[in-house]
Every structure is written in C-alpha cells, then in structure tokens.
Amino acid sequence: MDSGPGSPPPTLADPLEAFPPRSLEAGDIAVLALYFLFVLAVGLWSTVRTRRDTVKGYFLAGGDMVWWPVGASLFASNIGSGHFVGLAGSGAAAGISVAAYEFFGLFSVLTLAWIFLPIYIAGQVTTMPEYLRKRFGGNRIPTTLAVLYLFIYIFTKISVDMYAGAIFIQQSLHLDLYLATAGLLAITSLYTVTGGLAAVIYTDALQTVIMLVGALTLMGYSFAAVGGLEGLREKYFLALASSRSENSSCGLPREDAFHIFRDPLTSDLPWPGILLGMSMPSLWYWCTDQVIVQRSLAAKNLSHAKGGSLVAAYLKVLPLFMMVFPGMASRVLFPDQVACADPKICQKVCGNPSGCSDIAYPKLVLEILPTGLRGLMIAVMLAALMSSLTSIFNSASTIFTMDLWNHLRPRASEQELMIVGRVFVLLLALVSVLWIPAIQASQGGQLFIYIQSVSSYLQPPVAVVFIVGCFWKRANEKGAFWGLISGLLLGLIRLALDFVYPQPRCDQQDTRPAVVRDVHYLYFSMVLSAVTLVSVSIVSWATEPPSEEMVSRLTWFTRQDPVVRKAQGPPATALPAAHTQSGTAEAGGPSTQLDLVLEDKPEMHSGDVTPKKSRALRAILWLCGMGGQGEAQPPSRAEPVITSLEENPLVKTLLDISLVACVSCGIFLWGYFA
C-alpha cells in the first residue's frame, strides 16, 4: 500500500524478506537526534535538581514526587519494548485475548495504592524484602526473595526487552547489535548512576509522552490502512499466508480472535485461568515488585501515590488499542510474512520456524509510516526500552544494596552504600551485554506469552506469602518460608519441564508429558497458589504465633496501631551505622530501611585533617552526587518518605470517586470485549 507522502520508494527485494533494506531519511535522523537530546536534558535537569548524596535522595527521589510523574513512571516502567513487540505479536497470532493482562493490571495498580501501600507506609519499609524481614523476622525469606527478584530482573525483564529492542535496532538503524545495545546501556546507566530514582522518574515521564504520541499515531495509520475496527474484524479472518497448505489448520486465524474469554479446555487462554490464575502474577507485579512499589513510595504522600496509580490505571486501557489491534492490522497488511505457517518459510522470513508474529509491530513501523514519523516511532521503541531498563537498574541496585549488601555489612557508611548501589548498576549493564547471545538464541513464536508463562511459575508463591503476611496476623516465619519454598520448587520443576519439552510446531505431533501438555500455565498458577497457601496455613498453625512486634503496623488490620516507642540509650553510646528510627518498633538484626542509614564518618577526619582529593576524584564524586559541601556536614537522620496515612478529606473523597469511575471503566471494557 501507499505509505503516504514523504515515504521512500519501494525497493525491489525478496517478497519474503521481513525488513527490506532501507536507510533512514534525514527527517528520521533529526527526530531521533532531538529525542536523545531531550532525554539527556531531562535526565541532567533532574540530576541537578534533586539531592543525590543521601540514601533516601538516591533510591527514593527524596520522597517529594507529585502524582503525575509517579503515574507516568509506573506506566513507562511497565511498558517496555517487550510489550510493543510481544502484545502486537500475540494480537497478530491469536487475537485480543492477551489484552486481559493489561486490563488485570488496571485493577492491580489500584489495589496497590488503596490496600497494599498503606501497609507498607505504616510499617515504614522501602524495599519488599525489608517488609518480609519486619513482618516475619529472620533472614531466610528476605534473602531468598532478594536473590529471586534479581534473577527475575536480569534473566527475564532485561533479556526480553533487549531481545525486543534488538529487532528495531538491527532492522531500522542498521547498526551492529552489540554496538547499539552498548550505546543504549551507556546512556541509560549514565543518568541512573548519576541521578538515581529522581532522574529515572522524570525521564520516564518524558518517555511516556513520546510513547503515547508515537503509538497513537501508528494506531491511526494502521486503522486507516485496514478500514477501521470494522474493517479489521472482517479482514483479519481472511489474512492467510499464500504459502499455507489448504488441508492444514496451521496459520488459520482463531475463530474467537475478538473475544477475551475463551474455551476453558481447548483455547490458548482459558477463561477460568484468566479470572483466577492471572490474578496472582498480576498482584505480584503491581503490588509487591520493587520496580513498581518503589515509584509509589517516592510520592510526597499517600494521596499523590493514589493519584499516580489512577494515572497508570487509565493508561493501561490503551495497550489494546496501541499495540494489540495494530498487531492484528499488521497481519492483514503483510500476511505472507506475519502470518507465515510453513516452518521453512518462517525460518527464511524471520529466522524462527515457530512463527513470525513478533515482527508485526516493527513491520508496521518501517513499512507504512512516512519520513519523520518513522523516526518518531523508532524513538518510541528506544524510549520503551530505556525506561524499562533504567527502572530495573535502579530497583535492582536498591534491593542489592539495602537487602544483601547492608545485611553483609550492617555498619556500612552512607557513602559506601551510595558507591555500591552505583557500581551494581554498572555490573547489571555489563551482564545485559553479555546476555545478548542467549537472547538471540531464545526464539519464541509469541514473546509476550513466553514472559507470562515464566511469570506464572515463579511469581504466585511470592504473591501468596505477601498477601498472607498483609491479611493474616497468625502467619509466621516458618509457615511463610516453607510455603514459599514448596511453591517455588513446584514452579521451577514445571519451568524446567517446559524447557525440556518445548511446545511442538503446528505441523508436529504433541508428545509432551500430560502435566505439560494438558495443564495450561494459568491453571498451574492456580495450583501453585493453592499449594503455597495450604503450606503456609498448616505450618503456621502447627508452630508458635508471631510476636506482637511482627504484627503491629505491618498488616491491614493493625496498620493504625499506635507507634511503640523504645527507650532511648544514653547519647554518648556509640551507635552502629543503621539506627532504629525514633517512634518505630524494630526487631533485632541489621536494619535495611533507607531512611535509617546514617553516614559513619570518624570524627578524627574532620576539618583540616581531611586529605585533599585529586580533581579527577572530585569530579567523579560530584557527578555521582557525593561531592561538595555535603561531605563536611555532620551525619543526620533522614526523614521518613511517607510518615502518615492521613489524607486531606476533600482530596481523599475526590480520589475515591475517581477510583469508582476507573473501576467502572475497567468492568465495562471486560464486559464489552469478553
């Protein structure tokens, strides 16, 4: 079809080539250059604007974020390049059912702000493993979770986004994959290392605007090309590859492509699994994942956190229209490539014999958009990739620094924690580059479904432990630990079976074991949740109840308990680097709360005795926000991020009305598309 004025003339190429060779026009390059300038400018502005020389300033943006950047950052952290490629690919292959994950996210992000966040605020926690350390005591659960979170971040989130972004980088910019990836990681880790969470949140806000403008523009072009939603409904079922065998069902569009609720036994996403099995991974992601919760905890107060969640919830309506429908339109426009069914032809088109649906979105961008807009959409993909990477970098460094390093070195000074957090970001960037060959080797027919199946095996046990901890006062450390271990072992066994027995292609006989072939991953998520819940309940009832200190202000029913004040020791007593905050009951053991960490500077090095630093060292310290006069100031307690659950009555009423409106909107969408 005609790609509009300003598009380059079509090149004579192999009709089965997914991305015909074409170079970017000057307009596209100009848009990309402006994009990078804007991102760097916003990153540097937020870096200079905020305090970066304290743990709270670096990891929680100083706790002074208002609602709109919090909401934009929640959305941008969630929508990575894996979403654009994966949602559009699943739409092209199987229809709109994959949008159920997005609609579930709408309810889950509101659950975070109205139910889980008040508990985290009352308990004065800043990382998710820290909540479990306070709620259950001991170090087994938080250490297990800290390692599990880092594993999930590095080997699913980073790898998936890098794989999805690589499709655009290689095909649109014609750059070497390693060079382009290293450049992106250099830019993202630069403002993550120097600016901390504040830089990440403000750049996320910019990335969100760019993503919405670009994706909505492409949506308009794709709908115009297929004749609107009605045209898509008619033409989608006729979008068949010309090479498809007539006596085979391979490559046929699903009859229920425009329905979310599908057959409970034979469909790709059974409706009981959507309603019950999808809930636990969704609650894990939106209510207990450090990447998401950290943004809400950085808000000024609970009202701003709720406002941010409302913004993110309304934005979660858009992926169906911005990504899934355009992916289906791409199948209509390019059936021979996107809808290929013959393994040999698919291998030739995209290098993946399982199918080429994951090229649906990149194909649209590079084929139907005019000059300038094509550059904008490439910027959108880079924005999605960079925003999700920076979010993971910052949150992973928070978990490593506060839950692992601070546990190993409880007397670590504040400056040491700052340095460790920044160095860990650089290590993550290095691991990301080294992981690229594994990403290239891992080929899946539907990237987004791959993400969700892995999530369904690892996340439900963690979600159950958090839910039980928040809503059942009798749950104790032994019950939570053995419930978590039993659930994770079951999930890892199923995950290993999935890798040992991969799903056969359409033209192959399914010889997998029954537990893999017949038990859908969403049903297995329900089984994992039930096993974990039963294990937690049995062991908790059979062992001693938790102490009052581990329940007070750490569950939904005790969040309003009065603060227990501990007797203060004499002022002359030498204190460790991590102190118990005035007015907060703390269990024994090293504290990992961000606000409680003090700089541990020996007095003998004050004044003129301090050795003079070289210019290079001073420049590095300033860049990382650790230089200047802040170093000469005496250590002082950092104020808590959000100290109170109190809200302005008028603002609270307006937020509650908005909550009802947003939930009603979500229920309507479920009903309309189900």
Side-chain angles (χ1 to χ4, degrees), residues 183-205:
L184 282 175
L185 288 171
I187 293 174
T188 52
S189 53
L190 173 68
Y191 63 75
T192 307
V193 166
T194 58
L197 185 61
V200 172
I201 287 181
Y202 280 118
T203 49
D204 276 355

Side-chain angles (χ1 to χ4, degrees), residues 186-411:
I187 293 174
T188 52
S189 53
L190 173 68
Y191 63 75
T192 307
V193 166
T194 58
L197 185 61
V200 172
I201 287 181
Y202 280 118
T203 49
D204 276 355
L206 172 67
Q207 314 278 38
T208 300
V209 174
I210 295 171
M211 274 195 277
L212 292 177
V213 171
L216 290 172
T217 302
L218 182 63
M219 179 191 76
Y221 270 84
S222 57
F223 273 140
V226 298
L229 187 57
E230 287 305 313
L232 181 62
R233 286 180 186 272
E234 296 171 11
K235 297 174 184 176
Y236 179 79
F237 297 103
L238 305 175
L240 303 173
S242 58
S243 60
R244 191 187 72 85
S245 173
E246 290 297 329
N247 57 358
S248 169
S249 61
C250 296
L252 284 175
R254 293 186 61 91
E255 293 180 2
D256 52 8
F258 283 88
H259 299 283
I260 291 179
F261 284 179
R262 299 181 176 182
D263 189 275
L265 297 176
T266 60
S267 67
D268 57 334
L269 285 177
W271 69 262
I274 286 177
L275 287 180
L276 300 174
M278 200 178 279
S279 58
M280 284 301 153
S282 183
L283 285 174
W284 175 87
Y285 181 81
W286 288 103
C287 300
T288 72
D289 184 11
Q290 182 68 23
V291 172
I292 298 300
V293 176
Q294 190 174 352
R295 272 133 196 79
S296 296
L297 288 175
K300 273 186 172 182
N301 52 45
L302 183 56
S303 295
H304 279 281
K306 287 181 175 179
S309 287
L310 279 168
V311 170
Y314 279 116
L315 291 176
K316 288 297 285 179
V317 173
L318 297 177
L320 171 64
F321 302 94
M322 295 193 314
M323 300 165 201
V324 179
F325 282 143
M328 299 172 76
S330 183
R331 178 184 178 123
V332 172
L333 297 173
F334 313 106
D336 283 336
Q337 291 97 354
V338 176
C340 72
D342 187 293
K344 293 180 181 177
I345 293 178
C346 290
Q347 179 71 39
K348 185 177 180 181
V349 170
C350 64
N352 186 357
S354 300
C356 293
S357 58
D358 280 340
I359 69 169
Y361 205 83
K363 187 76 176 164
L364 275 182
V365 171
L366 298 174
E367 293 288 332
I368 75 170
L369 287 182
T371 302
L373 285 179
R374 194 162 52 247
L376 175 66
M377 276 312 300
I378 293 169
V380 165
M381 289 303 301
L382 297 181
L385 175 63
M386 292 170 67
S387 62
S388 56
L389 282 181
T390 52
S391 301
I392 296 165
F393 285 164
N394 186 266
S395 297
S397 72
T398 304
I399 286 181
F400 179 80
T401 305
M402 305 316 300
D403 291 297
L404 295 178
W405 188 267
N406 205 24
H407 174 59
L408 294 173
R409 288 181 51 82
R411 290 178 177 270

Side-chain angles (χ1 to χ4, degrees), residues 395-626:
S395 297
S397 72
T398 304
I399 286 181
F400 179 80
T401 305
M402 305 316 300
D403 291 297
L404 295 178
W405 188 267
N406 205 24
H407 174 59
L408 294 173
R409 288 181 51 82
R411 290 178 177 270
S413 67
E414 184 159 4
Q415 186 162 358
E416 179 182 332
L417 295 176
M418 294 291 87
I419 293 171
V420 168
R422 287 165 161 96
V423 169
F424 188 71
V425 170
L426 298 177
L427 286 176
L428 275 182
L430 178 62
V431 170
S432 304
V433 174
L434 296 177
W435 190 244
I436 290 172
I439 304 163
Q440 290 175 300
S442 64
Q443 302 264 351
Q446 292 187 52
L447 181 67
F448 195 76
I449 296 302
Y450 158 76
I451 304 167
Q452 301 306 333
S453 62
V454 172
S455 301
S456 297
Y457 303 146
L458 296 178
Q459 296 167 0
V462 183
V464 169
V465 167
F466 270 97
I467 291 169
V468 169
C470 288
F471 297 99
W472 189 35
K473 293 190 285 186
R474 183 63 177 76
N476 61 16
E477 194 270 347
K478 291 184 177 66
F481 177 74
W482 290 112
L484 180 65
I485 293 301
S486 60
L488 284 177
L489 282 176
L490 265 182
L492 287 171
I493 290 171
R494 173 62 194 263
L495 184 61
L497 287 174
D498 268 15
F499 279 108
V500 172
Y501 301 101
Q503 184 175 349
R505 296 196 303 265
C506 175
D507 60 334
Q508 295 176 330
Q509 186 178 359
D510 194 343
T511 58
R512 295 176 296 169
V515 68
V516 179
R517 182 183 65 243
D518 300 331
V519 181
H520 193 276
Y521 63 84
L522 288 178
Y523 288 147
F524 198 81
S525 170
M526 296 162 60
V527 172
L528 277 183
S529 302
V531 168
T532 306
L533 182 60
V534 170
S535 302
V536 172
S537 303
I538 291 175
V539 178
S540 292
W541 278 117
T543 53
E544 68 281 356
S547 66
E548 184 65 28
E549 190 179 27
M550 291 179 182
V551 174
S552 178
R553 298 182 68 81
L554 290 167
T555 73
W556 175 258
F557 307 103
T558 60
R559 69 190 189 284
Q560 302 286 5
D561 280 7
V563 178
V564 179
R565 295 187 177 275
K566 281 192 173 182
Q568 298 292 322
T573 305
L575 295 175
H579 294 259
T580 303
Q581 181 172 340
S582 174
T584 313
E586 281 267 320
S591 168
T592 57
Q593 182 166 338
L594 301 184
D595 297 314
L596 310 185
V597 184
L598 300 180
E599 271 191 274
D600 188 18
K601 298 191 188 74
E603 291 181 7
M604 68 181 78
H605 291 302
S606 61
D608 299 329
V609 186
T610 306
K612 190 174 181 181
K613 298 182 179 66
S614 68
R615 289 184 179 180
L617 181 58
R618 287 205 304 269
I620 293 172
L621 289 175
W622 177 86
L623 188 65
C624 291
M626 295 186 293

